[in-house]
Amino acid sequence: MSAQSNHRSDEFLKVSDQFQLGALTTESSHPVTSKLSDTAKINIVDALKLLFEVDRDVVHKFQKFVETGRADQIKQQVLHSLEKGGKIFFTGCGSTGRLSIQLVSIWRDFWQRQRARGLVCTPSTEEFENRALSVMAGGDFALIKAVEGFEDFSEFGAKQITDLGLGAQDVVFAITEGGETSFVIGTVWKGLEVGAKVYFVYNNPDDILCRHVKRSQEILTDPRIEKINLISISGWDRYRCPCYYPSVEYPFPPVGIVGAADGKNRRAFLCPHFKFSFSLESG
């Protein structure tokens, strides 16, 4: 090996304990599905029932989250940002990176459909359409082929979100399955640096993360960051995260923003999900 390779190996060994994640709940088997393959060999219907049982756990966790009232608080924060001209950023890596793209796609599709049906509003539908942005480790190329190494560097996350024009009026949803992805953590620190509101969404007990992963401990102990801990998912079932997160990331649907235009009158309006005041123009 070259001297440079030896040096890089030595440097990694100094921090290698920060990438040994076997103690995390999300890396363990789920107690309900730990013997799923054995069950499936005997009776596939029983195996499917186990999967559905875990699905019910996820729904139960979401119900508990809603009951806390935090979804409404997040909604109000997002509305405040939008009223000030801010943007919404969703950041992630791998599955949560694809989720970030999916969430922005939902947002953009909604505004495109409103424009197609003739809605004229202030700000415009075009402006609203571009108010949500996704930040995926490795960029669009990572949708096609894994980009190795990107997730392990917080600097890459900070750079990608900076390039998209992150500002003080914006809101950042940093989504990480286990709460320890360096790339996503980089977007958190950059969000704080510019004065944005930052939400950190993850799936592990705080005490375990703080005990084993220093970069996670720094995030979880910083009072400026609002944490959304969804601890109910482990083992193989952690891949349900991308199915579960949209319910949390969109505590309000985009449709809540737009009511029916009056045709002649300019007005603010109230809809079942939340109030968002802007003027609707004749059109």
Side-chain angles (χ1 to χ4, degrees):
M1 294 177 64
S2 67
Q4 183 180 8
S5 296
N6 286 330
H7 174 71
R8 293 179 63 183
S9 298
D10 291 339
E11 290 299 308
F12 174 75
L13 289 174
K14 293 177 182 178
V15 296
S16 61
D17 61 317
Q18 293 298 303
F19 295 91
Q20 295 171 2
L21 308 177
L24 301 184
T25 301
T26 49
E27 302 302 319
S28 64
S29 61
H30 193 289
V32 173
T33 54
S34 60
K35 296 183 179 181
L36 180 64
S37 59
D38 292 336
T39 303
K41 291 176 183 178
I42 299 171
N43 190 316
I44 191 65
V45 173
D46 287 344
L48 289 172
K49 288 180 178 178
L50 293 178
L51 292 178
F52 297 150
E53 182 178 344
V54 174
D55 284 340
R56 285 191 290 271
D57 287 344
V58 174
V59 173
H60 176 67
K61 180 66 177 181
F62 175 66
Q63 289 174 335
K64 290 177 63 177
F65 175 81
V66 171
E67 290 169 0
T68 66
R70 292 192 67 199
D72 186 66
Q73 295 170 8
I74 296 170
K75 171 192 68 179
Q76 295 300 331
Q77 177 62 53
V78 171
L79 287 175
H80 176 73
S81 174
L82 291 172
E83 289 171 340
K84 297 294 185 181
K87 304 179 292 295
I88 309 171
F89 287 85
F90 300 101
T91 74
C93 175
S95 293
T96 59
R98 289 185 287 275
L99 169 64
S100 72
I101 294 174
Q102 178 188 10
L103 292 172
V104 172
S105 177
I106 293 170
W107 176 274
R108 294 177 65 87
D109 176 71
F110 171 79
W111 290 109
Q112 290 168 5
R113 286 187 285 110
Q114 301 315 306
R115 185 163 59 252
R117 73 178 181 85
L119 176 68
V120 179
C121 60
T122 303
S124 68
T125 55
E126 289 89 347
E127 181 177 339
F128 271 120
E129 180 183 342
N130 294 307
R131 291 278 197 92
L133 300 100
S134 61
V135 182
M136 179 178 182
D140 294 344
F141 184 76
L143 283 171
I144 303 169
K145 179 179 176 59
V147 182
E148 301 297 338
F150 257 75
E151 66 183 81
D152 296 329
F153 295 92
S154 60
E155 296 85 355
F156 290 166
K159 178 66 166 62
Q160 279 189 227
I161 199 169
T162 298
D163 289 347
L164 289 175
L166 179 66
Q169 301 296 337
D170 300 335
V171 177
V172 178
F173 289 96
I175 317 167
T176 164
E177 163 266 315
E180 34 61 44
T181 307
S182 298
F183 178 93
V184 176
I185 287 174
T187 67
V188 171
W189 293 128
K190 179 54 67 171
L192 291 181
E193 180 182 319
V194 303
K197 176 65 178 179
V198 179
Y199 293 93
F200 187 65
V201 190
Y202 60 107
N203 273 287
N204 266 310
D206 290 4
D207 59 332
I208 295 179
L209 277 171
C210 289
R211 190 182 314 131
H212 294 279
V213 188
K214 182 180 178 181
R215 59 186 177 278
S216 300
Q217 178 191 45
E218 293 170 345
I219 292 286
L220 298 179
T221 56
D222 193 311
R224 298 172 296 172
I225 304 165
E226 186 159 342
K227 294 83 180 177
I228 304 176
N229 193 346
L230 308 174
I231 46 173
S232 68
I233 304 172
S234 61
W236 179 87
D237 306 301
R238 65 195 174 100
Y239 293 103
R240 283 176 168 71
C241 295
C243 301
Y244 178 27
Y245 279 147
S247 299
V248 178
E249 301 305 324
Y250 274 148
F252 59 91
V255 71
I257 294 179
V258 175
D262 197 329
K264 295 182 179 180
N265 300 322
R266 295 168 61 88
R267 62 192 177 98
F269 59 87
L270 191 65
C271 65
H273 298 287
F274 60 87
K275 182 178 181 181
F276 187 77
S277 297
F278 58 83
S279 59
L280 295 174
E281 302 173 353
S282 300

